[in-house]
Amino acid sequence: MIEKMYKQSVYYLDILCNRIGERCVGSDGNREATRFLEKELAAAGWKTSAAEFDAIDWEDGGARLECDGNSFEVFVGHYSLSFKGSAPLLAISTIDELEHAEITGKIILLHGPIAREQLMPKNFVFYNPEESRKIIALLEKGNPAAVIGATGRNSALAGGVYPFPLIEDGDFDIPSVYMTEEEGMRLAVHSGSQANLESVSERIPGKGYNIIAARGPEDAGRIVVTAHIDAKKGTRGAIDNATGVIVLMLLAELLRDYNGKRQIELVAFNGEDYYAVPGQMNYIAANQEKFGNMILDINIDGAGYHEGPSAFSEFNLPEELSEKLTHIIDSYPGLTKGPQWPQGDHSIFVQFGVPAVAVTSKWFIDNMESQDVTHTPKDRPEITDCHKLVEIANALNELIRMI
Ligand SMILES: [Zn+2]
């Protein structure tokens, strides 16, 4: 049984990461992945549905920048509009400077403190600090010709990406590019000179889908198991989050004969790694009145790293449920209890008062600040171990049947 599940996982990993590859929301690969998942869940005897929403894909055509006869290495801001032109360069390093500078029509270099953290997308409602909203508002009010963000390393927020795009927002219409901190320092001394910027970028309108599979009666409470199926642009998203989707598929098979009293819902969210989290917003809108009927969310994100145990973190579990979880964790050698972490779809359920369990790899929790894997091309099948996915699926199957 375990050997068969292992082989199935390896097959799924190959389909999601090698045959399909990129699964960014709005892309063909993303739609291929959701179609594949829906077929697998239906084949395991589940009633499936696909919730559709609008999502733009994005194509990067490259960027270049010149100033005072020097060229600088720049990258197209993700989901940005194109830009081609020449304008005076103005370097800005604080919000206060931005507030008082004359920026209209200029090419603005944001560097230093103001560019320390990625600016949150305008329509990202789950986490949007005041500072970020203020910078965006000042830029939109001042309307510069283009924005250059010089960014440093910030693993906690940007994963292992360096430099990270300061702005990643298809709803923000001032063209943007980004560069490393070092390039930013080199460029800042040319503030006041004429800069020449060309950035080629295209927004491609398309569709995305959440895949939802359900079974069991609706009246005695719902257990929701979630994993996001989209991957960050430019990565195969093996650990983030093909492994989570594979656990969903393994679990669908294990629960094929479930006829307990709960309703079980398996949800592949589409948009965890996308600026406007459209799949999550779609699910919230559809379930606005139904969160009260949910007993538990189990969210799998970042599970199956080849090193270290799988970490189960609990959020507001009632005592009885917490004891059951502890019992399960203790009976599988590769599982351990983890601390709470907020950067995942379980936070949505927690916000709506639903108890949650988040499943990830302990290694990522321990190396949050220093790891350079998340959201980079290093996130490949080679860094995963499918045996761990089999163990997680078996443990979750047992836990769900105990509730
Ligand atoms: Zn993820």
Side-chain angles (χ1 to χ4, degrees), residues 228 240-241 272-273 301:
H228 74 85
D240 188 17
N241 186 31
E272 208 267 338
D273 280 322
D301 195 351

Side-chain angles (χ1 to χ4, degrees), residues 327-342:
H327 170 78
I328 298 280
I329 291 171
D330 289 345
S331 51
Y332 288 84
L335 308 186
T336 185
K337 227 168 220 174
Q340 294 191 343
W341 52 281

Side-chain angles (χ1 to χ4, degrees), residues 228 230-231 239-241 272-273 299-302 341 343-345 374-375:
H228 74 85
D230 63 305
I239 208 91
D240 188 17
N241 186 31
E272 208 267 338
D273 280 322
N299 183 50
I300 308 132
D301 195 351
W341 52 281
Q343 311 93 323
D345 289 327
T374 311
H375 301 167

Side-chain angles (χ1 to χ4, degrees), residues 117-172:
E117 294 191 356
Q118 188 168 50
L119 300 175
M120 285 294 126
K122 284 160 64 181
N123 295 321
F124 189 80
V125 292
F126 301 112
Y127 169 78
N128 212 326
E130 197 190 331
E131 221 170 75
S132 175
R133 281 183 281 131
K134 186 159 186 195
I135 295 168
I136 292 290
L138 287 169
L139 288 172
E140 288 190 322
K141 191 173 135 228
N143 199 25
V147 177
I148 303 165
T151 58
R153 289 181 196 280
N154 192 334
S155 290
L157 277 167
V161 183
Y162 175 68
F164 60 85
L166 183 63
I167 298 164
E168 182 169 340
D169 186 359
D171 298 313
F172 180 78

